[in-house]
Amino acid sequence: MKNVIVTGGAGYIGSHACKALAAAGFNPVTFDNISTGWEEAVKFGPLERGDLMDRARIDEVFAQYKPVAVMHFAALSQVGESMAEPGKYWRSNVNGSLNLIEACVAAGVKHFVFSSTCATYGDHDNVMLDEEVQQTPINAYGASKRAIEDMLKDFGAAFGLESVIFRYFNVAGADPDAEVGEFHQPETHLIPLMLDAIDGKRDALTIYGTDYETPDGTCIRDYVHVCDLVDAHVLGLKWLQDGKGSRVFNLGTGSGFSVREVIDQSRIVTNREVPYKEGARRAGDCTKLVSGSTRAEKELGWVPERSKMDQMIADAWRWHQNGHYDK
Ligand code: UDP
């Protein structure tokens, strides 16, 4: 069995990736400290508890499983928090990734799939965001991810570590079987917060800013279904195994939705009112982040077939109603 180390395999995206890897014939070995993830989300392969700040523990797990590749999802990923506590982001994301990358080199692991983000681009007015756009992040989260991308380029040049870097736009939805789904504590993301507000599990959703230079004044994002997103990772792994070398890909659909449009779609899909109020901007938020690239479709053969807004909300709603993890 081909082992793939999945850091953050107990988290939202990592757990879906484990399911996709298992379906593709790999053994996904979750490496996770369960700080923000859930033990119950590890259903498709073994769980190895460990922290990326602990290099010896990474080496131990590598020696045990002799992985053919690493998929690196583990990260702190909240834009707002990264503005308030930048040190936490630089230390955890950058130092943790450095340990992992050096462990790959030491163990002779040649293939690395990395979760990066469109937040590395920053705010670009009227520019199509393709992979060649200059990366000028406006928050510490994006800056920490850009630093890891740079690290991968340097280690690729020095040691032949080949990487597929995926720059995610906004990930949404859940496994249609509701085996795994999105569950953060605390929750900060738009769609799960909105679903909580709809069924009264929390107070009204606050729209962060209604004075942006967009048609309805709210921020615009490009939402991609988590199942489509992880399918791209399996294609990225095959790309590396086929000897095609390091490459960067945006993962988005090219369609932008404002916060108000997401609220409207949720009202339709759930057939419930969405309680919301209008609030101030959130520090670090870009006005508009929409992918301007079809490289993943063209080169990887990626087909983001579930990434329709109504489908994403319907899958998230099913998970919201049926599945949850208990700490
Ligand atoms: N957002 C909002 N209210 C919330 C959470 C998010 O208006 O309670 C907005 C946020 O400003 C952004 C979009 O929804 O424009 C998506 O935010 P999220 O935190 O889900 O993802 P991010 O874009 O930060 O990765």
Side-chain angles (χ1 to χ4, degrees), residues 59 79 94 107:
D59 289 343
V79 168
V94 177

Side-chain angles (χ1 to χ4, degrees), residues 9-87:
Y12 170 41
I13 302 170
S15 59
H16 288 78
C18 287
K19 183 167 180 171
L21 281 166
F26 295 95
N27 182 37
V29 179
T30 291
F31 185 92
D32 203 301
N33 63 6
I34 314 289
S35 64
T36 57
W38 306 89
E39 205 167 329
E40 299 118 279
V42 184
K43 298 181 170 176
F44 310 100
L47 168 64
E48 292 293 340
R49 281 179 181 261
D51 196 299
L52 290 174
M53 302 308 275
D54 181 354
R55 170 67 196 276
R57 178 67 183 133
I58 304 173
D59 289 343
E60 196 175 84
V61 172
F62 276 33
Q64 186 182 344
Y65 290 96
K66 301 184 175 40
V68 295
V70 167
M71 281 194 188
H72 180 29
F73 296 95
L76 299 174
S77 62
Q78 293 171 29
V79 168
E81 183 187 54
S82 83
M83 297 302 281
E85 298 179 75

Side-chain angles (χ1 to χ4, degrees), residues 12-262:
Y12 170 41
I13 302 170
S15 59
H16 288 78
C18 287
K19 183 167 180 171
L21 281 166
F26 295 95
N27 182 37
V29 179
T30 291
F31 185 92
D32 203 301
N33 63 6
I34 314 289
S35 64
T36 57
W38 306 89
E39 205 167 329
E40 299 118 279
V42 184
K43 298 181 170 176
F44 310 100
L47 168 64
E48 292 293 340
R49 281 179 181 261
D51 196 299
L52 290 174
M53 302 308 275
D54 181 354
R55 170 67 196 276
R57 178 67 183 133
I58 304 173
D59 289 343
E60 196 175 84
V61 172
F62 276 33
Q64 186 182 344
Y65 290 96
K66 301 184 175 40
V68 295
V70 167
M71 281 194 188
H72 180 29
F73 296 95
L76 299 174
S77 62
Q78 293 171 29
V79 168
E81 183 187 54
S82 83
M83 297 302 281
E85 298 179 75
K88 197 168 145 182
Y89 276 68
W90 281 95
R91 194 171 304 107
S92 175
N93 288 355
V94 177
N95 292 357
S97 299
L98 179 58
N99 280 334
L100 181 66
I101 290 168
E102 290 193 315
C104 286
V105 172
V109 175
K110 293 283 181 206
H111 294 154
F112 197 99
V113 180
F114 177 55
S115 305
S116 190
T117 168
C118 62
T120 61
Y121 292 124
D123 249 334
H124 293 266
D125 270 351
N126 299 319
V127 173
M128 292 285 280
L129 293 181
D130 64 23
E131 293 84 353
E132 307 307 324
V133 166
Q134 204 188 359
Q135 291 173 288
T136 50
I138 63 164
N139 53 60
Y141 165 60
S144 71
K145 289 281 187 172
R146 186 186 62 177
I148 301 162
E149 290 195 16
D150 290 345
M151 206 188 283
L152 282 169
K153 281 174 207 133
D154 290 345
F155 278 78
F159 304 109
L161 177 66
E162 293 178 344
S163 57
V164 162
I165 293 172
F166 287 118
R167 295 187 187 139
Y168 307 165
F169 285 71
N170 283 60
V171 189
D175 171 26
D177 305 328
E179 284 191 279
V180 284
E182 181 168 19
F183 191 37
H184 298 106
Q185 225 161 23
E187 188 54 77
T188 63
H189 292 107
L190 177 63
I191 292 175
L193 284 176
M194 202 174 45
L195 299 181
D196 275 353
I198 286 174
D199 71 3
K201 286 195 180 129
R202 69 175 81 223
D203 295 342
L205 176 81
T206 301
I207 298 180
Y208 292 146
T210 53
D211 59 347
Y212 284 96
E213 286 190 21
T214 59
D216 67 20
T218 64
C219 290
I220 294 175
R221 295 288 181 273
D222 177 343
Y223 293 84
V224 55
H225 197 294
V226 64
C227 293
D228 289 338
L229 185 99
V230 298
D231 283 350
H233 287 64
V234 176
L235 293 171
L237 178 53
K238 289 186 178 143
W239 167 281
L240 289 171
Q241 293 186 323
D242 288 345
K244 294 182 177 171
S246 297
R247 195 76 170 136
V248 178
F249 297 97
N250 280 356
L251 293 180
T253 65
S255 298
F257 287 81
S258 71
V259 176
R260 289 193 204 279
E261 286 172 332
V262 175

Side-chain angles (χ1 to χ4, degrees), residues 130-131 249-250 252-253 291-300:
D130 64 23
E131 293 84 353
F249 297 97
N250 280 356
T253 65
S291 179
S293 166
T294 54
R295 184 187 284 182
E297 286 93 328
K298 285 191 186 126
E299 297 186 13
L300 293 176

